[in-house]
Amino acid sequence: MTHYALIPAFNEEEKIKEVILRLRKHKDINIIVIDDGSTDSTSEIVRKLGTVLIRHETNMGKGEAIKTGFRYILKNYPKAKYVVLIDADMQYFPEDAGKILKLLEEGDADYVTGYRNPREIPYANRIGNFGWRLLFNLLFGTNLRDTNCGYVGMTKNAMIKIKNIHGGYIIENSMLRDAIKNKLRIKQVPVKVVYGKRKIGKFAKMFFGVLIFIMIEGFKFRLGIKS
C-alpha cells in the first residue's frame, strides 16, 4: 500500500472504532493508530479491529504521537507515498480523507490541509481562527483560507522535511510553518467539522498561545532567522 491514515489517540474509546470503520471504506488506505498513553480501552478496541497499533506507555502529547507515526511509516513502509492525519474524536469526517489524498495523487501539492466552513465553527473559535489566519498570512506571505485545521495530508517527502512539530494547540501552525520554509506546494480542500462544548477560559489561553507562536515564528521567517 502507498496510502496511510495516521490517527493519534488519547482516551478515545467512545469514538475510535467509528473513525476506523469509516476510514476502512477507503479500501486503499492503511490505518495506523498511535495510542498516546490511554488509560481506557482505546488500545484494546484498536487491536480487536486488527488495526496497526503503536502505543506510548505514557501520555506524551499529540505532537509526539505524530512524530512517532512518521518515524514508523518511514522505517517500515518504504513504498509509502502519502499520509493523512485525522483526529480520533470524530471532529472531522473520515470520509473527507479521500479528498485530501486525491489532491496529493494529482501531483500538484506536497502538503494539503482542510479548510472549515466558518458557519460550522462556534463563534469564539471563529473569531480566533480569523485572527490567526490574518496574522499568519500577513507574516508568512500566504493566502490560506484556514491555518489551524487539524485535517492534514502530505507526501512522503513532506513527512521527511517536517520535523519541528510542536505540541498543544500550535501543532498545525508549526507543521504549516515547516511546509512553507521547505517550499512545499500547499493546497487546501473543504472539510466538515463538528465541535463539542468548549470552556471560555481554556479558549482564551489557546487563543493567545497560538497568536504568540505565529508572531514569533512569523517575524523569524521575515528576518530569515532559523527556528
Side-chain angles (χ1 to χ4, degrees), residues 33-157:
V33 175
I34 311 297
D35 183 350
D36 188 32
S38 295
T39 55
D40 64 2
S41 61
T42 296
S43 283
E44 287 77 6
I45 292 169
V46 175
R47 289 192 185 99
K48 287 179 180 178
L49 290 171
T51 301
V52 176
L53 173 71
I54 304 167
R55 178 173 166 81
H56 290 167
E57 291 305 316
T58 59
N59 181 245
M60 300 171 67
K62 182 180 175 181
E64 292 302 316
I66 291 172
K67 290 178 187 178
T68 295
F70 282 2
R71 288 193 296 267
Y72 182 83
I73 291 173
L74 293 172
K75 179 181 178 181
N76 295 282
Y77 302 102
K79 293 183 179 180
K81 289 185 179 180
Y82 316 110
V83 62
V84 61
L85 305 177
I86 179 172
D87 292 340
D89 60 0
M90 281 299 300
Q91 184 175 34
Y92 297 106
F93 286 30
E95 291 77 11
D96 282 339
K99 294 195 294 186
I100 292 174
L101 289 167
K102 186 175 185 295
L103 277 182
L104 294 169
E105 291 170 344
E106 289 172 353
D108 295 324
D110 307 300
Y111 190 92
V112 175
T113 81
Y115 67 85
R116 298 159 290 180
N117 183 340
R119 294 178 181 177
E120 297 176 349
I121 300 174
Y123 184 74
N125 295 73
R126 197 183 313 171
I127 296 300
N129 286 332
F130 175 79
W132 297 331
R133 183 181 74 249
L134 190 68
L135 186 62
F136 191 99
N137 282 332
L138 177 65
L139 293 176
F140 286 93
T142 52
N143 188 29
L144 299 169
R145 299 180 65 164
D146 193 338
T147 56
N148 287 80
C149 180
Y151 215 160
V152 178
M154 67 192 77
T155 63
K156 181 180 180 179
N157 181 55

Side-chain angles (χ1 to χ4, degrees), residues 20 29 33 74 136 141 156 184 186 206 216-218:
I20 291 171
I29 296 179
V33 175
L74 293 172
F136 191 99
K156 181 180 180 179
L184 299 179
I186 301 170
M206 173 179 68
I216 292 172
E217 293 303 318

Side-chain angles (χ1 to χ4, degrees), residues 6 9-10 22 35 45 48 62 86 107 119 124 131 158 171 176 178 182 211:
L6 190 62
F10 176 65
R22 288 171 65 169
D35 183 350
I45 292 169
K48 287 179 180 178
K62 182 180 175 181
I86 179 172
R119 294 178 181 177
I171 292 173
L176 197 52
D178 267 20
N182 284 287
L211 198 70

Side-chain angles (χ1 to χ4, degrees), residues 183-220:
K183 296 180 170 55
L184 299 179
R185 298 168 299 167
I186 301 170
K187 283 195 173 185
Q188 297 191 295
V189 64
V191 296
K192 298 284 290 181
V193 64
V194 178
Y195 278 83
K197 293 182 179 180
R198 298 288 177 96
K199 295 181 179 179
I200 297 299
K202 186 176 181 181
F203 173 78
K205 180 180 179 181
M206 173 179 68
F207 175 78
F208 288 108
V210 174
L211 198 70
I212 291 169
F213 177 84
I214 293 172
M215 289 179 64
I216 292 172
E217 293 303 318
F219 281 118
K220 284 181 180 180

